Structure formats: C-alpha cells, structure tokens
Amino acid sequence: MALEALDQPKSPAAGGGCSSSGCGSGSDKLAHLPEHIRAKVHNHPCFSEDAHHHYARMHVAVAPACNIQCHYCNRKYDCSNESRPGVVSELLTPEQAVAKTLAVAAEIPQMTVLGIAGPGDPLANPERTLATFRELSAKAPDIKLCVSTNGLALPELVDEICQHNIDHVTITINCVDPEIGAKIYPWIFWNNRRIKGVKAAKILIEQQQKGLQMLCDRGVLVKVNSVLIPGVNDAHLKEVSRVVKAKGAFLHNVMPLIAEPEHGTFYGLMGQRGPSNEELQALQDACAGDMAMMRHCRQCRADAVGMLGEDRGAEFTNEKVAAMDIDYEAAMARRAEVHAAIEANRTAQQQQRPDQPSETFVPITSLKRSKPRPAPAAAPTARFAVATTGSGVINEHFGHAREFLIYEAAGVGEGVDVRFLAARKVDLYCAGGDTCGEAEDALGKTIRTLEGVTGVLCSKIGIEPWDRLEAAGLVPNGEHAMEPIEDAVAAVYRELLAEGRLDAPAEAAALSA
Amino acid sequence: MAYRIIDSCVNCWACEPLCPSDAIRPAEPPAMSHFTIDARACTECEGDYADPQCASICPVEGAILDAAGEAVNPAGSLTGIPPERQAQAMAEIRAR
C-alpha cells in the first residue's frame, strides 16, 4: 500500500513530521515569518489555514483556453451542479470579470483575494487574464491578485506577472520525472505544434521548474499544487516536494484526484481511482517533513465565490451584477472596517490561547527538523469533525454542514495538541442530488464522510442524527457552540480520555496506517 | 480546401486565437451550439504553420474534420491509447 512506498517512519513517535501546529513549537507561528511574507499571507484564505476561517476569495472565469491536456480534466467545463476545479457556469469577458469582482467585494466585505484559475490555463489566455488584473489593480487596490497555472507558458510571462502586482502564484506540478508525466499529460501545445508522450512531459516539467525558479528569484510567493494519483505519482510526490522546496516554493498543496466516470475525464472513464482520505493524509504527512503543507484546500470551481467552504456564485451572475448599483469607494471603506474587526477578533482568539501557534505552516526555507513530539506514547490519538461557517469557532448546526473540518488531538492534561488535518465535503463534488446518480440517504452519506472520526462537534444537532451518529459509533457534541475550535476539540478529547472512551495508541496508529 | 468543426466541439476557445486566417467563429446559441470555421477564410494554415493550428490544440478527438471529411485527430490519437489497446489499458489503470 501507498504508505510503505513513502518511507514513512513506522514508529508513532516519529510519524507525521513536525511541521504542523500539533508540534506546539513556537517556530511555526506566523509571527516568526519575515514581516513582508507575513503581510502577504496572513489574510489570504488559500495560503493561510487560519485566514481561511475568516476571509473570502473568488475566482473569475476569464480564461477558457488551455495549452495542455491533463488526464484528470475534461475540457467541457460547464456544469452548475459540480464543484471541482475546471468547472464554471458562465465564461466572462475581462470587463464582466471586473464588474463581478467589484460587486462581490462590495457584497462580501470579507473578500481579500481575486484569483484567476481557469477554466483553462490563465497563462494560455494572457491577454484576457492580464487585462482583468490591470483593471482590478487600479479599481480595487486592496484586493490581492493571484493566478494559477500549469506552468507551460510561465517563464515567458513572469515579468508581466510581476508588473501587475500579482504576488501569489500557484503552479500545478504533478511530477518531475517525464516518464511519470507521460502517464498524466498525453500532450502539450508547444511552439505551434502538438507534442506527445515523454517528450511533451519533459518540456512541461522544464518550463514549470524554470518558471518556479524565476518567480522565487523575484520574491513572488509560490504555492505548488499536486494531484495525488494512486499508482501514478503517489510514491513520487515526496521527490516533487523536495525539488520544489529547494527552488523556494512557499507551500505545497497535495490534493486528491477527482475521477468519477460521469465527469467524462480520461481517468474517470478509464476507472482510475482517487486516493482514500487515509492515503491522502499519509502522503501529506510524509511530505510535511520536507515542506510546509496545505491541508485546507477545497478544490473549488474556477468561478467560486465566498468563503472556502461555500460557493455563492449563483448570487453574482452577469445579469445580477449588471443590475447592481455599487458605490466602489464606500465598499472599499467598508471592507477596511470589516477586515479590521476580523483582525481584532483573531487577535482576541489568539490571546486566549497563548500556547497555541496561530498558523499551521512555516516558511520552507526556515524549516528545521523539529524535536520529536513530547511523549505521545501514553496518549491516544483521536480525530474530531467540526461544523463551522467560519471565524474559527464552532457555529454551525450539524444538519446545515456541507463540510466538516477534521482535527486530530493527542496528549495529556494541558498538553493536548490539536492539529488541523483536512476539510471533508459532505456532498462530494456534486450537489445535483437525486437528479444525477442514485439517491443515498443524506445522513448516511454524511456518516460515511466521517469515517475514522471519534467525535463530532457542532453548535446544535437534532435527535435523529444524534441517534444515528451514536449507532455508527460516533460521539456527537453540541456543548461548545461559539467556542474556538481548537479549545473545544481539546476539551472534548480530554473528556473522552478521562471516560476511557478513546482507542489505545497502538490501535489508533493501526487505524491511520 | 478547408477544415470543419463538428458538434463534438466543447467550446473551449483554445483554437480561436491561434487561427492565422481569423476563420474561427465562436458558438452563437441557440442557432449554433459550437465553434465553426469559415470555409472561405480557412487555408489549413498553409504558408503560415507546418501544422494546422486549430487541430493541433483541439482537445477533442474527432471534433475537427479535414477537407475529405476525415478526423484530423482520430480516436486514440490524443489519449495516446489506440482503440485496440483500450481494454488492456483500462485493466492496467483499474489495477492501480
């Protein structure tokens, strides 16, 4: 199985690397980042796990064309029910995209970031992408701009990117070995020709690495996305992590392959499987020893709007945006007020937990092998699912939750470590319900999502779901409404530990292997 | 002498900016649900490029036909898996 291929240390004491907040060491606090980097990421929901509880982002779908083919992508991108990368409902002109961004930024004042992520490759549509950025940097200078790319056209556009004040770039890098690349990318369009196979993958990899180096040399923050494809690049992604870290990438985001036959992708149609939650997490932990890992990615649509867990795109169609009457100056002033209030709230939450680091990432360049976790041998590990709509507190009704944040707790007494592991969607990929696929009982689906979890924390929960959760061996808990997530998880963990209701360490380790 | 886009086109726009003859028209629903090529303007890129540009970036097998009505990108040419190897490739991928 995948774990063994990753030379993950077998002993639980050494497992998992030590780059997460779970280590409790001060070295990974946001405050320890250089000030200019801290300022860039601390309110970016996609670059900072803590920020994603508080701030919103949006993508504008201005870039339809693509210059490569990935086996996990279907170039037919229009589906309103699916939620996954590369899917959009309405393609926008740069003018429409600017109007939409300004409308969203006025209606959702938590918004800090505008990204262009497709549905094709933004840098294969440079005029449309750059025209959008140019307008927005003039009209909404407080909004951060970012772009994601497959990297093929990146080296030739790096200077333009820097010119437009885009200081966050995401490159999808699935491999650094052309033989592996040929199993992921059947062809690229390069110098006016279609190139196939290993030769194509080799060119793509060279361009990605060159672009990454050029961006890092210019001080642009780069996040690397990798799609975990079992049996193709799973064992290889540790090497990818190592290589991109050496070049200066800031954050690595390993995402699970989404490959359902109904999506019409090559992998979906051919029956390539995606990784299990456990495989994904094991790989993220294995890479974490080398690099800062991102675990809160929601793999959102190329026209997503709102907080990371939600999509309010339907409120901002072209038609609706055109009908809105917006005072841009007033909207920007309101954003500044809202952001100040959010920061005050974050500071207050932070002061309640002086021992907890505020972030789950560290700058890769400053990453050192931390000291081993303090004696976890006596303390079992347990996972908890949390229902939240944001702000870093438990504030969502169980029945309303479209996703759960998964946290892991371990430790004794005051020394309980809580670390964020993942976000799991309840309605994975598709909100079409009974209209496209067999109708599974919604609660049954939710319970299946919670596999491996011990307790469920929410603001409230009905009697029927309470009974069903208990019958499935889960512990529901609605006693910590409006409390900070990590404190509440630690409290429930301590309670269950005291009652002797947690697995022995050996059993827990076996579960996660 | 002209290429033709048929209804398996997914409207991804990749071909449109590449055409040296400006011969590609976006879909105009509901009358026309996919991209089309103006046959009077299309030169099959002769004199401009070694390979026809639209057919070199089109991601859909069979969506572009040549003057003889043959698919420029026949089945299996873009996935890299010819039809006769399909079953075997699928078995290999499912075993991952």
Side-chain angles (χ1 to χ4, degrees):
Chain A
M1 129 161 207
L3 245 183
E4 266 147 34
L6 299 168
D7 25 316
Q8 162 120 330
K10 293 259 182 330
S11 110
C18 225
S19 69
S20 72
S21 69
C23 286
S25 105
S27 68
D28 50 8
K29 282 188 186 177
L30 194 59
H32 289 238
L33 294 172
E35 179 54 34
H36 69 283
I37 294 186
R38 203 190 73 85
K40 277 184 182 179
V41 299
H42 98 287
N43 63 356
H44 193 311
C46 309
F47 276 66
S48 156
E49 194 264 317
D50 187 63
H52 102 277
H53 294 296
H54 305 278
Y55 291 106
R57 56 73 180 102
M58 70 179 288
H59 289 162
V60 283
V62 294
C66 197
N67 48 11
I68 71 173
Q69 177 70 50
C70 305
H71 272 327
Y72 47 75
C73 179
N74 175 3
R75 301 291 303 124
K76 187 171 168 55
Y77 42 72
D78 177 15
C79 176
S80 59
N81 285 333
E82 289 175 25
S83 182
R84 62 188 166 91
V87 172
V88 301
S89 296
E90 200 172 38
L91 196 63
L92 306 179
T93 64
E95 297 72 33
Q96 289 168 330
V98 170
K100 180 176 179 178
T101 305
L102 294 173
V104 171
E107 295 289 316
I108 307 178
Q110 301 97 318
M111 191 179 125
T112 51
V113 171
L114 179 277
I116 298 182
D121 186 75
L123 302 186
N125 304 251
E127 299 82 12
R128 297 169 66 99
T129 297
L130 294 172
T132 308
F133 284 142
R134 205 176 299 126
E135 279 286 296
L136 282 174
S137 54
K139 290 189 172 159
D142 61 324
I143 300 291
K144 289 176 191 295
L145 304 177
C146 46
V147 64
S148 63
T149 177
N150 61 44
L152 183 63
L154 182 56
E156 64 190 85
L157 289 165
V158 161
D159 288 328
E160 283 238 56
I161 287 173
C162 293
Q163 222 174 57
H164 290 94
N165 207 21
I166 298 160
D167 55 7
H168 301 73
V169 175
T170 298
I171 314 175
T172 300
I173 299 179
N174 296 317
C175 56
V176 290
D177 175 347
E179 297 288 340
I180 292 172
K183 295 181 185 168
I184 304 170
Y185 309 105
W187 58 264
I188 66 170
F189 182 76
W190 177 248
N191 289 342
N192 297 98
R193 309 196 86 148
R194 196 190 310 262
I195 316 274
K196 297 177 183 174
V198 175
K199 192 179 165 196
K202 185 165 181 286
I203 295 169
L204 176 63
I205 290 166
E206 282 168 5
Q207 290 292 104
Q208 289 171 337
Q209 295 298 321
K210 190 174 165 193
L212 170 61
Q213 185 72 66
M214 291 169 79
L215 288 171
C216 293
D217 289 348
R218 286 161 176 76
V220 176
L221 277 190
V222 182
K223 169 160 72 69
V224 170
N225 280 355
S226 299
V227 181
L228 169 53
I229 310 161
V232 176
N233 69 350
D234 43 1
H236 178 59
L237 282 180
K238 265 191 83 172
E239 169 72 359
V240 171
S241 232
R242 193 188 61 74
V243 170
V244 301
K245 171 202 169 188
K247 289 251 170 32
F250 176 72
L251 190 63
H252 193 193
N253 175 25
V254 177
M255 307 178 293
L257 171 71
I258 299 173
E260 304 298 324
E262 60 268 30
H263 295 158
T265 62
F266 174 84
Y267 280 153
L269 295 171
M270 295 294 276
Q272 166 71 48
R273 71 179 180 96
S276 67
N277 286 326
E278 297 300 334
E279 284 173 314
L280 175 67
Q281 196 204 314
L283 184 73
Q284 287 174 333
D285 285 347
C287 290
D290 284 329
M291 178 150 188
M293 300 299 294
M294 168 171 178
R295 297 170 191 262
H296 65 281
C297 179
R298 305 298 202 278
Q299 296 179 284
C300 56
R301 293 163 58 98
D303 59 2
V305 171
M307 305 290 281
L308 251 47
E310 67 178 9
D311 188 356
R312 296 175 58 181
E315 298 168 39
F316 300 95
T317 59
N318 275 334
E319 202 181 331
K320 289 179 183 167
V321 168
M324 289 179 186
D325 182 21
I326 295 156
D327 179 341
Y328 300 127
E329 292 293 319
M332 190 148 73
R334 173 141 179 266
R335 279 200 294 280
E337 280 167 28
V338 169
H339 294 183
I342 289 172
E343 286 310 307
N345 182 31
R346 287 175 85 181
T347 308
Q349 279 184 16
Q350 196 52 40
Q351 279 165 353
Q352 286 171 13
R353 324 189 288 273
D355 296 336
Q356 290 285 325
S358 65
E359 273 301 334
T360 57
F361 60 73
V362 291
I364 296 154
T365 43
S366 75
L367 191 70
K368 297 184 193 77
R369 278 280 179 192
S370 321
K371 50 189 185 289
R373 262 176 204 232
T381 298
R383 293 186 191 162
F384 296 88
V386 170
T388 175
T389 60
S391 304
V393 296
I394 292 166
N395 58 359
E396 193 170 33
H397 192 294
F398 177 82
H400 296 168
R402 297 284 311 277
E403 63 169 19
F404 290 91
L405 304 189
I406 310 297
Y407 286 79
E408 186 173 78
V412 182
E414 288 308 302
V416 174
D417 278 325
V418 177
R419 66 166 183 149
F420 173 74
L421 285 185
R424 290 191 197 161
K425 288 179 194 169
V426 174
D427 252 335
L428 221 48
Y429 325 133
C430 180
D434 314 86
T435 55
C436 53
E438 80 258 33
E440 189 185 356
D441 166 25
L443 192 51
K445 209 184 252 179
T446 303
I447 289 171
R448 198 152 47 84
T449 309
L450 299 175
E451 190 188 356
V453 164
T454 300
V456 180
L457 285 73
C458 50
S459 64
K460 277 184 182 170
I461 178 169
I463 292 169
E464 194 207 334
W466 179 288
D467 291 344
R468 290 271 300 271
L469 285 180
E470 283 198 327
L474 294 156
V475 182
N477 186 307
E479 289 165 21
H480 295 274
M482 298 316 290
E483 289 179 26
I485 294 169
E486 296 191 358
D487 297 355
V489 168
V492 176
Y493 173 85
R494 275 193 286 266
E495 198 177 302
L496 294 179
L497 189 63
E499 292 168 6
R501 294 170 74 184
L502 297 180
D503 292 329
E507 213 177 310
L511 259 180
S512 67
Chain B
M1 200 180 82
Y3 280 37
R4 191 155 65 87
I5 297 175
I6 64 171
D7 61 3
S8 49
C9 162
V10 295
N11 298 319
C12 80
W13 286 85
C15 58
E16 195 266 350
L18 296 176
C19 178
S21 311
D22 200 16
I24 297 175
R25 310 274 174 267
E28 284 173 31
M32 179 49 74
S33 64
H34 57 84
F35 278 53
T36 53
I37 294 174
D38 181 345
R40 291 160 301 180
C42 175
T43 61
E44 299 186 0
C45 292
E46 256 193 52
D48 288 300
Y49 294 103
D51 298 338
Q53 295 299 286
C54 59
S56 296
I57 200 165
C58 178
V60 181
E61 293 172 348
I64 299 185
L65 308 182
D66 63 18
E70 298 288 326
V72 188
N73 299 306
S77 67
L78 299 188
T79 59
I81 297 171
E84 64 274 16
R85 269 202 56 232
Q86 180 85 7
Q88 190 202 334
M90 193 183 270
E92 285 167 17
I93 288 171
R94 281 171 193 261
R96 284 173 183 164

